[in-house]
Amino acid sequence: MPAPQPGDLFYDIEGDPHYEGGLEYLHGVWFDGQFKAFWAHDHGAEARALADLLEFFRQRLAACPEARIYHYAPYEITALRRLTAQYGIGEAFLDRLLRCLSSEHLAQIAA
């Protein structure tokens, strides 16, 4: 793993495949010794949680340009791609993170 940087984030997502159409009900971020949760109890809230999460990432990376977003497995990226396409929210931002900045800002913890 890369050396820790000020502003590093640790991201996880939880979903319910049995909810009609599936539901990513929790985006969780650990940072600065605290946990921030973006909850969704239905599809409308799922879209709002996604928008709020991506805005949080934008602000954090603007304030801490050396920070990384750590995630545990490929699922987080797969889910974010699906959600941004499904809701038309944050597609360009996620694309920049994945294509241009992935080696700088996204880091998978486990293979």
Side-chain angles (χ1 to χ4, degrees), residues 7-35:
D8 281 352
L9 303 171
F10 297 86
Y11 169 64
D12 193 20
I13 186 171
E14 299 297 330
D16 180 357
H18 302 292
Y19 189 90
E20 187 176 336
L23 184 71
E24 302 300 343
Y25 64 85
L26 173 61
H27 299 271
V29 182
W30 178 258
F31 67 103
D32 298 340
Q34 61 184 315
F35 182 76

Side-chain angles (χ1 to χ4, degrees), residues 42-59:
D42 57 38
H43 290 292
E46 183 180 58
R48 287 188 300 279
L50 173 65
D52 292 346
L53 172 74
L54 295 178
E55 182 57 28
F56 176 78
F57 284 167
R58 274 188 202 97
Q59 290 178 7

Side-chain angles (χ1 to χ4, degrees), residues 56-67 93 105:
F56 176 78
F57 284 167
R58 274 188 202 97
Q59 290 178 7
R60 186 66 170 196
L61 294 173
C64 305
E66 301 299 317
F93 174 70
H105 289 295

Side-chain angles (χ1 to χ4, degrees), residues 64-84:
C64 305
E66 301 299 317
R68 289 185 177 85
I69 302 169
Y70 291 92
H71 60 96
Y72 187 73
Y75 180 76
E76 288 83 8
I77 301 304
T78 300
L80 286 173
R81 283 179 173 149
R82 180 177 39 75
L83 291 170
T84 58

